[in-house]
Amino acid sequence: MFTEWRKSRARKSLALLLAVSGVLAGACGTAGGGNGASDGGSERLRAFVSIPPQRYFVERIGGEHVSTSVLLPPAASPALYEPKPSELRSLSGTDVYFAVDVPFERSVADRIRSAGGDDMRWVRTWQDVDRGRLEGGKPDPHIWLSPRRAKTQAETIAAALSRIDPDHEREYRENLRRFEEHVDALDADIASELEPVAGKTFMSFHPAWHYFANDYDLKMLPIESGGKEPGAARLREIIERAENRDIRAVFVQPRFSEDDARTIAEQVGATVEPLDPLARDWEKNMRHVATELADALRSGS
């Protein structure tokens, strides 16, 4: 039974819990803005995710039975983040880590697994997802920005929670069903909003939106290539391509320099607009992205 398993884990971690009990009693969160233990001492699965959108998925499916925290700090970039020892220590006692294959996970996966302990499950939420590759050959991790791929991630999350906590499998499956219905409605709304601009090209500094573009018959022109900012020759090429497409907005994301984006925007008469692939409210952000792209593409060619 799940309860007996958790009791066994609690006994193994007793010394650590006693050492930090004073801190935990007054704390309400963990690394990266995550929430802490549940109120009243009720036994909830303790989950960690790499980025905020993953937390949205786990919370919708896990409901009241899962407490979810985010490893990535709010202002950090998943391409550059290096977890501090104190942040890794917060993983101790975690039941399950939902990975999404962002760059920092690839570089410190062994450290994350070690910090979580032998009992922590490591779940690859990209399994069974149709993934493309970025320039340079690395797999494109931005699957959460495609509502259609997010449904596959959600199925993997629900299956993992059901294996770990079979007592609540029915609830996890029902939460998954409701979530998938919600995503289907979201997908239909986005498709309807972007249909008038199908086939058009938008420019993004970071190549985060390939899956989103493919879902809705758009084309993304990235500035960054192979994880590197463009050199002078690449900048000239991008400016020429942007001018040929009459691009009116260059989209940037927080945590990245805007200098090159502003250089290009000035050359082609475009504005620099923010789009955040890491926003915590995933559904609200997907709708916002669709509206921003529709507005920008209607004003261009």
Side-chain angles (χ1 to χ4, degrees):
M1 293 291 292
F2 168 65
T3 301
E4 293 301 317
W5 176 73
R6 290 301 302 271
K7 287 180 179 178
S8 174
R9 290 203 64 187
R11 287 193 293 269
K12 290 165 60 179
S13 304
L14 181 59
L16 176 62
L17 290 172
L18 289 174
V20 300
S21 60
V23 176
L24 291 177
C28 61
T30 55
N35 56 349
S38 59
D39 293 338
S42 60
E43 294 194 14
R44 301 164 74 188
L45 276 178
R46 186 162 181 252
F48 255 87
V49 297
S50 53
I51 56 174
Q54 295 290 102
R55 180 178 183 175
Y56 183 96
F57 301 153
V58 177
E59 288 181 336
R60 292 306 179 276
I61 297 164
E64 65 181 1
H65 303 300
V66 182
S67 172
T68 309
S69 301
V70 182
L71 184 58
L72 184 75
S77 162
L80 304 174
Y81 174 54
E82 179 80 17
K84 298 176 182 177
S86 60
E87 292 165 342
L88 289 172
R89 282 195 296 272
S90 69
L91 289 160
S92 179
T94 296
D95 299 311
V96 55
Y97 187 101
F98 291 104
V100 73
D101 202 31
V102 287
F104 84 81
E105 285 180 332
R106 298 171 190 166
S107 62
V108 298
D110 289 343
R111 291 170 59 196
I112 293 173
R113 290 174 185 265
S114 177
D118 294 338
D119 292 323
M120 184 182 78
R121 273 76 161 177
W122 178 276
V123 178
R124 299 182 304 164
T125 66
W126 67 89
Q127 66 187 32
D128 302 323
V129 175
D130 178 22
R131 293 206 297 170
R133 293 188 176 273
L134 300 168
E135 291 187 48
K138 293 183 179 180
D140 186 348
H142 303 95
I143 53 177
W144 67 91
L145 298 176
S146 160
R148 299 166 194 179
R149 289 169 175 81
K151 285 179 61 177
T152 303
Q153 285 187 275
E155 292 166 3
T156 298
I157 292 168
L161 293 177
S162 297
R163 285 194 302 269
I164 298 169
D165 181 17
D167 289 346
H168 299 112
E169 178 176 6
R170 180 178 296 181
E171 292 168 77
Y172 297 142
R173 293 296 178 182
E174 177 60 21
N175 289 345
L176 173 64
R177 184 191 64 78
R178 288 197 295 264
F179 179 76
E180 289 182 325
E181 288 180 350
H182 215 65
V183 174
D184 285 341
L186 170 67
D187 182 28
D189 289 346
I190 294 175
S192 177
E193 181 160 20
L194 292 174
E195 184 177 8
V197 294
K200 293 192 175 184
T201 302
F202 66 95
M203 178 175 284
S204 173
F205 181 84
H206 185 64
W209 305 97
H210 274 301
Y211 296 126
F212 187 95
N214 289 341
D215 279 357
Y216 303 109
D217 193 21
L218 302 176
K219 298 174 184 178
M220 184 190 75
L221 176 59
I223 297 174
E224 185 185 69
S225 176
K228 299 178 181 179
E229 295 186 10
R234 171 71 174 172
L235 275 175
R236 286 194 298 270
E237 176 190 348
I238 293 170
I239 290 170
E240 181 177 342
R241 293 173 67 185
E243 288 174 337
N244 291 338
R245 289 167 175 79
D246 192 24
I247 288 175
R248 297 303 184 188
V250 179
F251 293 99
V252 297
Q253 71 180 73
R255 310 162 195 90
F256 284 83
S257 170
E258 296 183 7
D259 293 346
D260 290 329
R262 293 196 178 280
T263 297
I264 293 171
E266 290 171 2
Q267 291 291 319
V268 302
T271 60
V272 175
E273 304 293 343
L275 286 182
D276 188 1
L278 299 177
R280 177 179 173 180
D281 191 331
W282 176 79
E283 179 183 351
K284 180 179 179 181
N285 190 48
M286 289 295 93
R287 293 185 183 278
H288 171 72
V289 169
T291 298
E292 290 294 308
L293 287 175
D295 289 347
L297 293 174
R298 276 196 296 268
S299 66
S301 63

